[in-house]
Amino acid sequence: MPLRPAGPAAPGPAAGRGAPGASLRAALALGLLLGFYLLALALLVAVAALDVVLARGTFTVVTVEGWLGSLAVAWCVLRVVALGRRPGEGREGPPGLSLTPREQPELWEHVRRLAERVDTRPPAEIRIVPGAVAMVREDARWLGLVPGERRLFLGVTLLLGLPEAELDAVLGHELGHYAHHDTRLGHVVAALRGRLAHTVGTLRERAAREEAKERAEFAAKAARRRAEGRPPPKRGRTQGPDHYLALVFTAYAKLCLRLTEAVSRRQEYAADLVAARIAGPATTAAALRRVPALEAADELYLNQYALMGWDAGLLPPEGQFYGGFALLLADDMRRAQLTALAREPLPEEPGEDRSPYASHPPTADRIRALESLPDDGRAPAFPRRPAATLLRTPDRLLADLEQATLSTEALSKRRVPWAELPWQARRETSAREAAPLLAAMAELTGAPAAPGVIALHHLLDLLDHGLLHELAARLPRSEQAAHSSGRAAREFARTAFRSALRQLALGAALETGLCRWELCWAGPPVRQTAPAWFTEDLPTALDRAVAEPAVTAPLRTLLLRGGAHGPLDGTGPTPHTLA
């Protein structure tokens, strides 16, 4: 039950109204779960009643067909509802790093103090997970009558990006779910939704499979008739019992979702009131605005920074796959962008556009409810203490979180410092894209070639000897190029060769320090720079190198001008953005 916006939702209650009582919610959840089985039983009773009616009539072929059809329907119901294998209920929750009180005493003590203020039992486990999420679970027994072990899941992005006061609002919201016994029935509702999803999914899958089988049989029959010179038969659209049962259980699933999600939305309003009592209405509203902004920033960080070297087999230093998010937030421009995003007006959702199946109310409605509360006189604290100060040895924690959540493939990649990650990733990319050209050189000369300045000069020597087309003919060809001939084929080959040559030249320029791929937290993640003369002259030098006859001197001269500088030594002409 995270403190975060979800999709559109039905209008919520006023701020002063709480969620339905625990007894009413228990009765609703249990009734809907029993209703699932009663619906299946009702279908079986209806089929049996139809068989009785058929038995009272005259025994005909139609009677036999009716009995066979009823048996098919009954078998479908029993197979899917009673005999089907259902997925697990997900009691473990999302993967993460479980923190012990000994490892993180400050965080544990902070959560326990908040639990005392909320007047509820604290969680037995605190688990740090990736992302900007916070949620609670409880392993209650006997349909929620007996309380169980409580778990708190806290996103590392919130710890790195929220002030401590706003983290208190997040934790107060989650602890409010405990205080209102919202988590007691979590497994009952999950079991209901799991059974419905399994039933509907299985029925739809079987219906689609039967329909595909019927289409294939009809196509084969039509083909045989056409081969015999007869017109193909007309195909009537028929649906099996799985299709109609799927419609019935889909309707019941929608009813269950509407009822349970309506309760969930009211629980969110009630938990917001607890958060407001703990952290103040203004701070709680600020947290509601900041969390989606942090979520967007985290997505940008992971996709454009943490994973920038993925294809090259590289990752940031140990502990920085998640921890590098703090470096992004430390940049003044990024921090200003995040603040502006959190202050943007939230979109309003007309009542007719709100989905009855959303688990959370619209964030704008929740903020309005908080703003309608009386002012408690608590002013925001300045300077604001970061939530990460609650963590002991955060670098070690972030490294352990990587070990607990990253895949084996990710953990096997080579770790490099942030300053080296862009240019090493670019070097690997250039080498990979130039690999077909290097393979063509090795095939033509019988000697292996590795990417770099030496290989480039060797290639230019081959061009000087007029071997352009022999090399180009050995490169992979597109489908269009494979079907061309004559001059068109030669132009396709020349274009592909020029592209590969450019990658090899850029790799050589990177090796010598002539070109730079530098990390940039403020704008695009990689600043690609080179001297102005290199940027301006490279296209012409490439064109002349692939001309007939080849003129390689301009490209050699470009590389020699940069070869006097070591890689990444910071010297040389003023860099310009590389096209």
Side-chain angles (χ1 to χ4, degrees):
M1 301 179 181
L3 178 68
R4 58 184 292 187
R17 297 174 61 187
S23 300
L24 180 59
R25 285 180 277 130
L28 174 63
L30 183 59
L32 291 173
L33 183 59
L34 292 176
F36 169 75
Y37 295 104
L38 289 175
L39 176 60
L41 180 61
L43 290 171
L44 294 176
V45 170
V47 169
L50 179 61
D51 287 344
V52 171
V53 172
L54 291 174
R56 290 179 178 177
T58 305
F59 185 82
T60 63
V61 175
V62 175
T63 305
V64 175
E65 291 178 348
W67 285 343
L68 293 176
S70 65
L71 285 174
V73 173
W75 171 240
C76 289
V77 174
L78 290 173
R79 180 189 64 240
V80 176
V81 178
L83 304 179
R85 181 183 178 187
R86 301 179 188 91
E89 308 238 341
R91 287 178 176 266
E92 286 302 315
L97 179 66
S98 184
L99 306 180
T100 66
R102 183 177 179 180
E103 294 169 335
Q104 298 293 334
E106 291 83 3
L107 178 62
W108 268 96
E109 181 60 26
H110 194 77
V111 172
R112 285 168 176 162
R113 283 200 303 266
L114 291 177
E116 289 179 4
R117 294 176 61 186
V118 176
D119 193 21
T120 190
R121 181 165 50 94
E125 179 189 6
I126 298 177
R127 188 182 302 181
I128 302 300
V129 298
V133 297
M135 59 185 295
V136 286
R137 294 196 179 193
E138 183 173 358
D139 296 333
R141 302 182 299 276
W142 293 98
L143 299 176
L145 297 176
V146 179
E149 186 177 79
R150 292 177 169 182
R151 298 176 182 177
L152 169 65
F153 302 89
L154 191 56
V156 65
T157 303
L158 300 183
L159 287 167
L160 295 176
L162 284 179
E164 185 179 326
E166 292 181 18
L167 180 67
D168 286 351
V170 173
L171 294 173
H173 176 98
E174 300 305 327
L175 293 171
H177 286 303
Y178 282 146
H180 298 149
H181 307 296
D182 299 341
T183 54
R184 292 274 191 94
L185 299 168
H187 290 313
V188 178
V189 175
L192 169 65
R193 293 176 178 173
R195 282 160 174 73
L196 286 170
H198 170 74
T199 301
V200 172
T202 302
L203 287 170
R204 287 179 174 175
E205 180 183 348
R206 290 185 61 85
R209 195 160 54 239
E210 289 294 327
E211 185 178 358
K213 180 181 177 181
E214 182 183 342
R215 283 200 303 266
E217 291 175 350
F218 176 81
K221 183 178 180 180
R224 286 195 303 269
R225 291 177 65 93
R226 282 194 293 267
E228 296 170 357
R230 295 186 294 167
K234 293 184 178 180
R235 178 172 178 259
R237 186 175 180 81
T238 59
Q239 301 287 358
D242 287 315
H243 170 78
Y244 296 103
L245 287 174
L247 296 179
V248 173
F249 282 101
T250 297
Y252 186 73
K254 289 182 177 180
L255 172 65
C256 291
L257 282 176
R258 291 177 73 102
L259 295 175
T260 56
E261 297 296 25
V263 172
S264 296
R265 291 192 293 272
R266 297 195 59 170
Q267 289 173 347
E268 295 304 315
Y269 282 107
D272 283 346
L273 293 179
V274 177
R277 179 159 55 87
I278 295 298
T283 301
T284 304
L288 279 172
R289 291 181 180 276
R290 194 182 303 275
V291 168
L294 283 174
E295 191 173 29
D298 185 53
E299 182 179 0
L300 173 110
Y301 164 75
L302 287 176
N303 291 333
Q304 298 193 23
Y305 289 90
L307 295 174
M308 72 165 60
W310 179 270
D311 292 338
L314 307 173
L315 282 185
E318 184 181 11
Q320 289 292 293
F321 185 85
Y322 299 116
F325 183 65
L327 300 177
L328 180 78
L329 297 181
D331 181 81
D332 291 338
M333 193 192 84
R334 291 295 190 191
R335 192 165 55 249
Q337 289 175 342
L338 182 67
T339 302
L341 182 61
R343 291 175 178 173
E344 285 184 1
L346 296 169
E348 296 292 337
E349 299 170 1
E352 61 273 13
D353 293 338
R354 297 183 177 186
S355 169
Y357 307 112
S359 61
H360 285 56
T363 305
D365 287 2
R366 296 170 66 184
I367 291 176
R368 272 195 297 269
L370 290 166
E371 291 173 344
S372 69
L373 296 175
D375 185 6
D376 61 358
R378 280 182 282 185
F382 292 100
R384 294 184 296 181
R385 184 184 177 194
T389 57
L390 294 171
L391 300 176
R392 180 174 293 188
T393 60
D395 293 341
R396 184 70 260 163
L397 182 149
L398 292 167
D400 291 342
L401 180 62
E402 293 177 3
Q403 294 294 321
T405 58
L406 294 183
S407 65
T408 303
E409 180 185 6
L411 293 174
S412 67
K413 293 186 181 294
R414 185 162 61 92
R415 303 301 186 104
V416 296
W418 279 112
E420 298 179 15
L421 185 59
W423 69 266
Q424 286 211 34
R426 179 62 223 184
R427 183 178 64 181
E428 296 291 338
T429 300
S430 294
R432 186 173 60 253
E433 294 178 355
L437 182 54
L438 296 174
M441 290 174 57
E443 182 182 347
L444 183 64
T445 63
V453 177
I454 296 177
L456 179 60
H457 283 292
H458 185 199
L459 173 63
L460 296 180
D461 290 340
L462 296 176
L463 295 181
D464 287 337
H465 285 83
L467 298 176
L468 168 64
H469 293 293
E470 286 77 359
L471 288 166
R474 290 171 167 79
L475 295 178
R477 293 183 294 174
S478 65
E479 182 178 353
Q480 187 177 7
H483 289 85
S484 61
S485 60
R487 181 176 179 180
R490 293 169 69 88
E491 289 303 316
F492 275 122
R494 189 194 307 274
T495 301
F497 183 87
R498 185 188 185 280
S499 177
L501 176 61
R502 182 180 185 273
Q503 294 303 324
L504 191 59
L506 290 177
L510 184 64
E511 179 182 319
T512 62
L514 182 59
C515 293
R516 297 171 179 273
W517 274 259
E518 300 173 340
L519 189 69
C520 178
W521 293 108
V526 178
R527 182 185 294 115
Q528 306 172 10
T529 61
W533 46 264
F534 181 84
T535 304
E536 295 167 359
D537 295 346
L538 179 61
T540 302
L542 291 171
D543 290 337
R544 298 190 66 183
V546 298
E548 292 186 86
V551 181
T552 62
L555 190 53
R556 295 180 193 270
T557 301
L558 281 179
L559 296 172
L560 286 174
R561 289 182 66 180
H565 306 301
L568 304 176
D569 63 356
T571 62
T574 302
H576 289 245
T577 300
L578 183 64

